[in-house]
Amino acid sequence: MQLILNSDSYEQVLTLASEFRRTVRGMRDLIDDEAERLRRIEQKAREVSRLYGYNEVITPLVERYELLAAKVGEDNRKRMFVFEDLGGRKVALRPEFTASVARLVATKMQSAPRPLRLFSVGSLYRYDEPQFGRYREFWQANYELFGSSRPEADTEILALTDNLLKEIGAKNYHFKIGHVGVLRSILSHDGIAEEVQNSIMKLLDKKQYDDAVEVARKAGSPKSSLETLESILKIRGQDSETVVSKTCETVKNFPEALDAARNLGEILSLLKAGGIEVNLVIEAGFARGLEYYTGMVFEIYTQGMDIAVGGGGRYDKLIELFGGGQVPAVGVALGVDRLSLSLQKQGSTFQGSGESRILVVAVDSSMFGEAVKVSSILRKNGVAVELETMGRSVSKALSDADRRSVTHAVIVGSREIKEKKVVLRFMKERTQETVPLGRLLEKIGRKG
Ligand code: HAM
């Protein structure tokens, strides 16, 4: 069938084509190094999950809106990709993993032995304003530990995070850490409703300290509490003992806030006892935008980037909210894209795998079948092989291989193959030799 276009519709098609060719705002194509870095970080994250005994779970990208919206915080709630499916259900693309994993624990994994350690990695969606390190589709490596309310569990999450950062070669990073129990206990003590507390936390997350105190004042916090809140917001430092003891002193008239400050102290001293030396900035008034946190909260910052590469904390009430009983939980999510950016910024590239990269070229089309056989032998032995499939001459294929960091070329010619041999070219050295097939693996540095 022939499509006949008049000039108007032709122009329309061109305009549409240029629109279609662009990715949707906030969405990216990841190619070459970017794709490779993302997958390598993912690989390292999976390796760390194995080392710490976290089993991978794969949850759906689309969930019920209500589940995802429950405690994600007002800002994240407003930025969800929400739609109605064809069955009329209100659904959304996941903006984080925690709600989905908590749903699992409240349902299918309710009777799984505790502690339960779960790992997830994949893409997430938030309608954030695109800018450096902020996208509408991004990746996280997420770890959750269920069943322990003890500081040991919080410490494990911090240690694991530090381990992953070291594993991928991140340098000059620090943990900003606090405990939402300190502030929330004071507000609860004054009878401030949870929604008002959430809006105060949201303002603190955005560093709008005065506005936060003003909301507490309007909600009826007495002068003495407001003064305590103001003092807490000023307590920060790098030495955990000093900051924790200052916080304890400040909140001594609020028993639950005092417990929270002591809990933070315990977590940090366990970290020290375990020999895990991380740079810390402890902030007594630190809050995060997500509403489910009940205890220790933290974020990770790397030098030169003022956006967090990861964040997490304790959330002991979410499983109960999802009908799964009282299950304490603590977890962390590392932003894979931001980790990748920070590695790029600090100039570190992942060490190449050091693997050989082989090109197999047939001298002419009659030798192509033999070239396929040679490739199969190499691949069976775990060697990555690219086969020349463009019908190019050997010299053209070799000059292309030079540009693509191929380490060796295997040239398959009729004379050599009759003697069960091939020509092996060492690309960097620009030398070549005729090699029996039986010794090919050894010659390219691989055991057979
Ligand atoms: P979150 O702080 O919302 O925490 O996100 C964790 C990390 O995801 C951030 O530190 C950042 O690296 C990355 N991230 C978030 N939004 C974007 C974006 N628009 N573009 C690029 N990267 C982004 C959570 O998601 C919690 N679920 C963490 C958690 C797990 N808490 C307990 N368990």
Side-chain angles (χ1 to χ4, degrees):
M1 195 181 77
Q2 206 184 353
L3 191 65
I4 300 164
L5 296 169
N6 62 32
S7 65
D8 274 2
S9 57
Y10 180 69
E11 267 167 24
Q12 218 174 357
V13 167
L14 277 185
T15 323
L16 284 175
S18 70
E19 281 297 314
F20 289 157
R21 278 157 32 165
R22 240 181 273 145
T23 57
V24 172
R25 186 163 150 77
M27 306 285 171
R28 296 156 300 151
D29 295 313
L30 300 178
I31 56 174
D32 295 337
D33 283 1
E34 271 183 315
E36 192 175 338
R37 245 196 328 266
L38 187 132
R39 290 301 180 214
R40 288 217 184 182
I41 293 172
E42 189 180 302
Q43 206 179 321
K44 295 274 184 197
R46 194 168 277 117
E47 174 61 10
V48 166
S49 79
R50 190 186 68 77
L51 290 174
Y52 283 75
Y54 285 67
N55 289 339
E56 184 160 354
V57 289
I58 301 172
T59 55
L61 213 105
V62 176
E63 295 264 18
R64 293 268 184 182
Y65 167 78
E66 286 75 13
L67 177 103
L68 298 174
K71 285 277 170 191
V72 79
E74 195 192 341
D75 283 352
N76 284 330
R77 202 160 27 240
K78 278 194 207 140
R79 294 185 186 143
M80 274 161 55
F81 282 82
V82 186
F83 57 100
E84 205 172 88
D85 71 9
L86 293 180
R89 296 169 203 91
K90 191 175 181 187
V91 295
L93 302 184
R94 61 186 182 196
E96 57 147 8
F97 283 114
T98 307
S100 302
V101 182
R103 172 184 56 70
L104 260 188
V105 175
T107 55
K108 296 190 184 80
M109 302 187 96
Q110 206 171 13
S111 52
R114 310 291 154 86
L116 184 57
R117 295 180 168 93
L118 301 176
F119 166 72
S120 309
V121 63
S123 59
L124 303 155
Y125 302 84
R126 295 182 191 176
Y127 202 79
D128 280 338
E129 198 44 41
Q131 50 186 279
F132 176 77
R134 180 161 290 132
Y135 315 107
R136 291 182 178 167
E137 179 185 52
F138 60 97
W139 274 255
Q140 278 185 354
N142 187 82
Y143 304 80
E144 311 284 0
L145 196 165
F146 298 95
S148 171
S149 57
R150 298 183 58 87
E152 287 87 330
D154 303 64
T155 306
E156 173 170 305
I157 288 293
L158 295 171
L160 171 159
T161 304
D162 180 55
N163 200 328
L164 176 57
L165 289 162
K166 291 217 164 74
E167 197 53 40
I168 63 168
K171 291 189 200 106
N172 300 324
Y173 56 88
H174 72 265
F175 284 61
K176 184 158 121 182
I177 190 161
H179 195 300
V180 293
V182 176
L183 291 171
R184 283 204 186 257
S185 302
I186 297 172
L187 297 168
S188 299
H189 178 270
D190 295 338
I192 308 290
E194 197 184 323
E195 289 76 59
V196 181
Q197 290 188 24
N198 291 343
S199 61
I200 294 172
M201 295 292 157
K202 193 178 108 184
L203 289 167
L204 293 177
D205 183 36
K206 292 182 178 156
K207 300 189 174 63
Q208 293 172 243
Y209 302 115
D210 295 343
D211 297 343
V213 175
E214 190 49 33
V215 173
R217 187 192 317 278
K218 282 198 179 133
S221 272
K223 195 160 173 270
S224 61
S225 298
L226 292 172
E227 277 166 13
T228 310
L229 284 180
E230 277 171 336
S231 313
I232 290 171
L233 298 179
K234 288 187 193 121
I235 303 176
R236 64 189 65 179
Q238 291 175 313
D239 180 62
S240 52
E241 274 148 42
T242 316
V243 176
V244 171
S245 68
K246 247 193 222 169
T247 313
C248 288
E249 178 57 29
T250 312
V251 301
K252 61 177 187 278
N253 297 327
F254 300 89
E256 286 178 351
L258 189 57
D259 284 348
R262 286 189 179 136
N263 176 244
L264 182 61
E266 270 180 281
I267 295 165
L268 296 176
S269 63
L270 283 178
L271 202 62
K272 214 182 248 177
I276 297 159
E277 287 184 15
V278 290
N279 292 326
L280 294 171
V281 174
I282 307 117
E283 285 192 11
F286 177 41
R288 288 181 26 83
L290 296 152
E291 285 167 4
Y292 45 65
Y293 292 117
T294 55
M296 178 272 294
V297 281
F298 68 101
E299 278 173 358
I300 306 110
Y301 290 87
T302 57
Q303 202 180 34
M305 272 173 57
D306 58 359
I307 43 177
V309 296
R314 172 166 288 284
Y315 55 102
D316 287 348
K317 302 270 165 61
L318 193 62
I319 315 295
E320 200 179 352
L321 185 75
F322 293 167
Q326 285 183 10
V327 183
V330 56
V332 60
L334 287 125
V336 176
D337 316 71
R338 291 193 188 169
L339 285 176
S340 174
L341 276 177
S342 79
L343 290 185
Q344 202 184 0
K345 227 174 157 44
Q346 76 184 35
S348 76
T349 48
F350 270 116
Q351 289 296 309
S353 57
E355 261 189 27
S356 318
R357 193 168 166 186
I358 315 291
L359 174 75
V360 174
V361 201
V363 291
D364 57 43
S365 56
S366 71
M367 281 292 103
F368 185 73
E370 295 299 331
V372 172
K373 285 184 203 159
V374 173
S375 305
S376 300
I377 297 170
L378 290 170
R379 289 187 187 121
K380 265 190 200 132
N381 283 282
V383 178
V385 174
E386 291 165 45
L387 185 59
E388 167 56 37
T389 48
M390 304 264 289
R392 287 180 289 206
S393 66
V394 171
S395 66
K396 283 226 172 92
L398 289 182
S399 66
D400 170 65
D402 252 344
R403 284 189 276 125
R404 293 182 307 118
S405 52
V406 166
T407 56
H408 305 77
V410 174
I411 302 156
V412 183
S414 62
R415 190 152 38 90
E416 290 82 9
I417 215 76
K418 268 189 207 130
E419 297 171 18
K420 296 202 177 337
K421 288 179 179 166
V422 286
V423 173
L424 176 65
R425 184 171 176 83
F426 299 87
M427 299 302 294
K428 207 160 122 206
E429 294 79 5
R430 301 189 172 277
T431 58
Q432 62 186 49
E433 60 182 278
T434 305
V435 175
L437 276 173
R439 294 192 61 200
L440 184 56
L441 283 166
E442 173 202 328
K443 285 281 179 186
I444 59 174
R446 293 287 294 247
K447 291 201 183 79

